[in-house]
């Protein structure tokens, strides 16, 4: 990781570091969900080939981690993976303030 | 369906931007509609190869990420420039669009300091593919691993990783390959660039493939004309009959075959 990616601690959504810390099963599910928009529980079951309560358990873990959200307004249980924002970075914030001072004084 | 191809390297100066621009040009020469997006927001540069002057671009990727415009506004049709570069030697039947990043120092600093919504970049890719009816979207990236990696590798159909025959590259490439495998990229291709012409290319290929357990699509020699061109144009259009261009064509072809 390059220094400019050392971020603050707001960790909602899937970040690269967060991804690499997932368990194998969580990662497998996240990998598949990342390439979909909204995923119906039914589709997830087919894709993962596991029992529903197992899958719901993994999904709940991912929801806890802030990586997956329950999709609202769907006619059946559905989930959505969310990506982390590229977070604010303190060092580059300072750099920017300096730059702007310099630009405005020219 | 648009095929998304992301081009990575662990270290800078490896040849990502030149390879991306050349592959885009060669695909368009084969009649394909190609988008090239510069996600190297911290050190953008590929616009230079396409002869785009940053000062004259009303919108860049930064504006889209700040919600100032639609992504389509940031796409510039470079087909005519490429055709001029090729001259009478051929006809570009496809299209090449470039989505540049801002080179204005305050805009780079702003995006680094404020961050942006990576999900928006993801949506931008999909929007471009649809609106421009792209056959290929090529993603030029910042060296190393960063937050964009999760979508550049994570959403691509093919990830190309470039390395030089240098031990610093070897180690870093191992990390990148590992992440690509974890992200479950459907197809991984390695390209070794800037190889001294007197090296044994077959032995090198075998060695790299064994090391990373991934296939090497091409081994590109260090090329004097490329150094002389100094990113002021697109090599394969300027020198269509050069042996180096033949190697680039192989890469474009194997991407088309995927
Ligand atoms: N095979 C090659 N032979 C000689 N010079 C090369 C070769 N490939 C790339 N270069 C040069 O290396 C420099 C860096 O290339 P670039 O595409 O900008 O790399 P990156 O995008 O990975 O930083 C440029 O000056 C380019 O002309
Ligand atoms: Mg580059």
């Amino acid at each position: 990781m390059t220094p400019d990616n050392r971020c603050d601690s707001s960790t909602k959504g899937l970040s690269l570091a967060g991804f690499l810390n997932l368990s194998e099963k969580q990662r497998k599910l996240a990998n598949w969900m990342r390439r979909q928009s909204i995923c119906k529980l039914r589709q997830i079951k087919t894709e993962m080939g596991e029992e529903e309560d197992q899958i719901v358990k993994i999904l709940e873990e991912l929801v806890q981690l802030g990586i997956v959200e329950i999709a609202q307004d769907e006619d059946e249980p559905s989930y959505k993976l969310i990506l982390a924002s590229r977070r604010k970075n303190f060092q580059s914030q300072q750099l920017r303030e300096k730059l702007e001072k310099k630009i405005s004084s020219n | 369906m648009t095929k998304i191809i992301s081009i990575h390297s662990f270290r800078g100066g490896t040849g990502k931007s030149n390879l991306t621009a050349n592959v885009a040009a060669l695909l368009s020469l084969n009649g394909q509609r190609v988008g090239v997006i510069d996600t190297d927001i911290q050190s953008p540069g590929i616009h230079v190869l396409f002869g785009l002057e940053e000062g004259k671009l009303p919108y860049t990727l930064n504006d889209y990420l700040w919600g100032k415009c639609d992504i389509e506004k940031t796409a510039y049709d470079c087909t005519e420039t490429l055709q001029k570069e090729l001259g009478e030697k051929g006809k570009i039947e496809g299209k090449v669009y470039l989505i540049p990043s801002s080179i204005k120092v305050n805009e780079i600093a702003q995006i680094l300091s404020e961050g942006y919504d990576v999900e928006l970049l993801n949506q931008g890719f999909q929007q471009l593919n649809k609106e421009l009816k792209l056959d290929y979207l090529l993603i030029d990236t910042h060296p190393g691993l960063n937050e964009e990696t999760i979508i550049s590798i994570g959403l691509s159909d093919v990830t190309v990783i470039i390395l030089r025959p240098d031990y610093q590259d070897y180690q870093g490439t191992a990390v990148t390959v590992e992440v690509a495998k974890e992200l479950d990229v459907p197809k991984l291709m390695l390209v070794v660039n800037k190889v001294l012409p007197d090296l044994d290319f077959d032995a090198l290929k075998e060695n790299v493939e064994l090391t990373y357990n991934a296939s090497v699509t091409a081994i590109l020699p260090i090329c004097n004309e490329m150094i002389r061109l100094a990113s002021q144009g697109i090599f394969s259009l300027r020198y269509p009959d050069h042996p180096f261009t033949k190697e680039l064509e192989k890469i474009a072809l194997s991407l088309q075959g995927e």
Side-chain angles (χ1 to χ4, degrees), chain B residues 34-59:
Chain B
V34 187
V36 175
I37 184 163
D38 192 355
T39 64
D40 190 352
I41 298 173
Q42 311 170 46
S43 42
I46 196 166
H47 58 277
V48 175
L49 284 137
F50 288 102
L52 277 186
E53 285 175 52
E54 266 275 344
K56 293 188 185 150
L57 305 177
Y59 295 106

Side-chain angles (χ1 to χ4, degrees), chain A residues 4 27 31 34-35 86 96, chain B residues 114 116 148 154 156 182:
Chain A
D4 50 283
R27 204 180 291 179
N31 267 336
R34 208 184 45 238
R35 289 171 185 270
R86 187 187 230 281
R96 184 183 165 206
Chain B
E114 292 186 351
Y116 66 86
E148 287 82 50
S156 63
E182 296 289 6

Side-chain angles (χ1 to χ4, degrees), chain A residues 3-49:
Chain A
D4 50 283
N5 287 305
R6 263 186 266 128
C7 305
D8 62 40
S9 57
S10 58
T11 50
K12 193 171 171 253
L14 183 64
S15 66
L16 185 62
F19 171 79
L20 294 170
N21 281 329
L22 297 179
S23 73
E24 203 173 308
K25 278 190 179 163
Q26 291 171 337
R27 204 180 291 179
K28 185 176 172 207
L29 182 54
N31 267 336
W32 182 73
M33 289 183 74
R34 208 184 45 238
R35 289 171 185 270
Q36 324 292 318
S37 47
I38 288 172
C39 315
K40 297 184 166 67
L41 181 58
R42 197 161 40 85
Q43 295 171 315
I44 301 175
K45 248 165 60 183
T46 319
E47 181 61 30
M48 298 284 288

Side-chain angles (χ1 to χ4, degrees), chain A residues 51-62:
Chain A
E51 294 300 320
E52 183 162 325
D53 48 349
Q54 265 302 310
I55 289 170
V56 170
K57 188 170 151 272
I58 305 172
L59 280 165
E60 275 169 2
E61 290 163 2
L62 294 177

Side-chain angles (χ1 to χ4, degrees), chain B residues 6 20 25 54-56 87 111-112 118 139 146 149 188 203 212:
Chain B
S6 61
T20 307
E54 266 275 344
K56 293 188 185 150
I111 211 143
L112 293 181
V118 180
I139 308 174
N146 48 59
T149 310
L188 187 61
Y212 301 111

Side-chain angles (χ1 to χ4, degrees), chain B residues 9 11-19 40 49 140-141 143 162 193-195 220-231 244:
Chain B
S9 69
R11 299 178 66 230
T14 316
K16 287 182 298 299
S17 298
N18 275 274
L19 183 73
D40 190 352
L49 284 137
D140 189 18
T141 64
I162 313 184
N193 190 22
K194 301 194 179 181
V195 179
L220 303 172
I222 229 173
C223 168
N224 288 330
E225 288 88 338
M226 186 88 160
I227 299 175
R228 224 169 282 136
L229 185 59
S231 299
F244 192 83

